[in-house]
Amino acid sequence: MNTAFITGITGQDGAYLAKFLLEKNYRVIGMIRRSASSDVIGERLRWLGVLDHVELVDGNLTDLSSLIRLLGQYKPDEVYNFAAQSFVATSWQQPLVTGTVTGMGAANMLEALRIAHPVGRFYQASSSEMFGKIQAAAQSETTPFYPRSPYAAAKLYAHWMTVNYRESFGLYASSGILFNHESPLRGIEFVTRRITDGVARIKLGLADHLTLGNLGARRDWGHARDYVKAMWLMLQQDVPDDYVIATGHDATVQEFCNLAFGHVGLDASAYIRVDSARLRPAEVDVLRGDPAKANNALHWHAETPLPALVAEMVEADLVRHGRAR
Ligand code: NDP
Ligand code: GDR
């Protein structure tokens, strides 16, 4: 039985990957940071029906000793580093925390692996945000980076540390440069979930409008369930490498809204308000990935079209709010 160690298991990707690996008969160890809300921290794992099948252990990405101890104790075959301050907007409010967790935290993981368990295979959750002010219409593994937020700068540091530890110490370390991926388990602060939650509340009479920021931003949105499969595939290759994971298609926030409101028979234009306070100090206007390398080398393809993703998210939020009423 293979053992996987996941940091950030309580987040969206952690939950989907845990389910995916359990179905492959892995032993799944998930690292969680101490929380006063421990009764709700496993909510996503519970939603997917896997909470009772994972082993949750205490640690923190900023505490190197906890990482060394855990990796030495469990000696996992595969390590997935998802833990991060992952919300771009917050990274301007808390740039140092973001740098410490999202950037230096990854370096801590690499150091812990090098010290305690250098044969473990390592996956780093890199991000399309690293492309920022894009230098090519469709971004691939060879497109130059241009980060536009403290979050993206921290991810870029983590990304290059992953490459560096591979090249310097021979660690099996791969980096997945993932474009936006969403699901019913997406955090409520991200735009897609904000929209589907808002649509559900409006449909059920719990709200009468939805406030957003930049409706013109374009993103390449896929489904988290599809993307965790690509992460696992990366760690099954003979040699470690970096891969862009994306659908290859982009849409605007406005288009996402149209799909979500349209799904429940409402006209988006009647309900959306724009608040300039929600605009970012520096925006990433458009991201669209070129997943050709992953398509060819991993035989991986995004499987969920945007309308199906939106419909699944709206339906889940209708259930949540229906239940709450
Ligand atoms: P989430 O924000 O849903 O999850 C982040 C996880 O990190 C949570 O489990 C959180 O724990 C944990 N965490 C935060 N700080 C610490 C810490 N100091 N020590 C230990 N754990 C910590 O992110 P996603 O699941 O959406 O994304 C997973 C990773 O992939 C992130 O690194 C993200 O930046 C990256 N990424 C995501 C993309 C996406 O579109 N979703 C695209 C590209 C990259 P807690 O529950 O306690 O807050
Ligand atoms: P992003 O996701 O910054 O791409 O990072 P987010 O959903 O927050 O923003 C996407 C785009 O939507 C615009 N937008 C709004 N965003 C939010 N959150 N709230 C709003 O009200 C709103 N209105 C418009 C934003 O300006 C932006 O252009 C996500 C995270 O998961 C990162 O961790 C990950 O690395 C990247 O995706 C790839």
Side-chain angles (χ1 to χ4, degrees), residues 86 127 151 180 186 189 191 213-214 217 219 278 280 283:
S86 73
S127 166
Y151 167 82
N180 299 54
R186 185 58 138 153
E189 65 275 33
V191 75
N214 179 9
R219 288 293 184 275
R278 303 192 75 82
R280 297 177 176 181
E283 179 62 293

Side-chain angles (χ1 to χ4, degrees), residues 86-89 126-129 151 155 178-182 186 189-192 194 211-215 217 219 221 253 278 280 283-284 287:
S86 73
F87 188 38
V88 173
S126 286
S127 166
S128 54
E129 278 292 300
Y151 167 82
K155 278 288 180 189
L178 269 59
F179 283 62
N180 299 54
H181 44 282
E182 319 294 314
R186 185 58 138 153
E189 65 275 33
F190 299 94
V191 75
T192 56
R194 185 172 172 78
T211 307
L212 295 170
N214 179 9
L215 300 178
R219 288 293 184 275
W221 281 298
V253 170
R278 303 192 75 82
R280 297 177 176 181
E283 179 62 293
V284 172
L287 290 172

Side-chain angles (χ1 to χ4, degrees), residues 16-309:
Y16 277 101
L17 181 71
K19 183 175 167 67
F20 177 85
L21 294 175
L22 286 167
E23 285 165 0
K24 292 207 168 294
N25 209 27
Y26 275 62
R27 178 186 186 195
V28 177
I29 316 287
M31 190 183 82
I32 55 170
R33 54 177 169 167
R34 196 270 152 181
S35 165
S37 309
S38 53
D39 52 338
V40 293
I41 202 167
E43 204 42 54
R44 292 188 174 95
L45 294 161
R46 189 177 289 120
W47 176 283
L48 293 181
V50 297
L51 181 59
D52 294 338
H53 304 287
V54 297
E55 295 170 53
L56 300 178
V57 296
D58 248 29
N60 196 302
L61 224 58
T62 61
D63 185 325
L64 177 61
S65 67
S66 69
L67 306 178
I68 293 172
R69 191 163 30 76
L70 290 170
L71 293 181
Q73 180 179 348
Y74 291 103
K75 301 199 180 312
D77 301 284
E78 297 168 15
V79 177
Y80 295 88
N81 185 37
F82 292 165
Q85 191 304 93
S86 73
F87 188 38
V88 173
T90 290
S91 76
W92 279 282
Q93 310 306 323
Q94 299 182 34
L96 305 183
V97 165
T98 304
T100 302
V101 179
T102 306
M104 196 64 80
N108 284 340
M109 282 299 291
L110 287 160
E111 268 298 272
L113 201 64
R114 177 162 80 107
I115 293 166
H117 184 50
V119 297
R121 295 187 170 200
F122 181 78
Y123 172 86
Q124 170 59 19
S126 286
S127 166
S128 54
E129 278 292 300
M130 301 187 308
F131 295 119
K133 190 171 178 181
I134 55 168
Q135 305 294 299
Q139 300 88 54
S140 74
E141 296 78 4
T142 56
T143 304
F145 298 117
Y146 194 139
R148 293 270 282 173
S149 64
Y151 167 82
K155 278 288 180 189
L156 195 52
Y157 170 71
H159 177 75
W160 281 117
M161 286 297 277
T162 303
V163 174
N164 184 262
Y165 270 53
R166 178 169 77 216
E167 295 177 353
S168 303
F169 303 118
L171 290 191
Y172 187 110
S174 293
S175 191
I177 307 173
L178 269 59
F179 283 62
N180 299 54
H181 44 282
E182 319 294 314
S183 74
L185 300 183
R186 185 58 138 153
I188 195 88
E189 65 275 33
F190 299 94
V191 75
T192 56
R193 197 48 218 303
R194 185 172 172 78
I195 294 166
T196 60
D197 174 78
V199 165
R201 290 193 297 123
I202 291 168
K203 181 67 182 174
L204 294 171
L206 302 171
D208 60 8
H209 69 277
L210 169 62
T211 307
L212 295 170
N214 179 9
L215 300 178
R218 305 188 80 93
R219 288 293 184 275
D220 179 333
W221 281 298
H223 199 307
R225 190 173 49 222
D226 298 345
Y227 285 35
V228 297
K229 185 176 175 193
M231 302 169 184
W232 175 78
L233 283 168
M234 281 179 220
L235 295 198
Q236 311 313 309
Q237 305 306 302
D238 290 339
V239 291
D241 203 349
D242 307 323
Y243 300 87
V244 160
I245 301 298
T247 70
H249 305 285
D250 64 322
T252 61
V253 170
Q254 177 71 63
E255 286 162 350
F256 192 104
C257 288
N258 295 345
L259 287 169
F261 279 95
H263 181 73
V264 295
L266 297 177
D267 176 5
S269 63
Y271 299 99
I272 296 174
R273 293 184 195 165
V274 172
D275 180 354
S276 59
R278 303 192 75 82
L279 301 177
R280 297 177 176 181
E283 179 62 293
V284 172
D285 298 318
V286 52
L287 290 172
R288 177 165 60 87
D290 171 3
K293 180 176 172 182
N295 295 163
N296 297 328
L298 304 178
H299 307 294
W300 175 88
H301 292 87
E303 289 168 30
T304 313
L306 186 59
L309 169 65

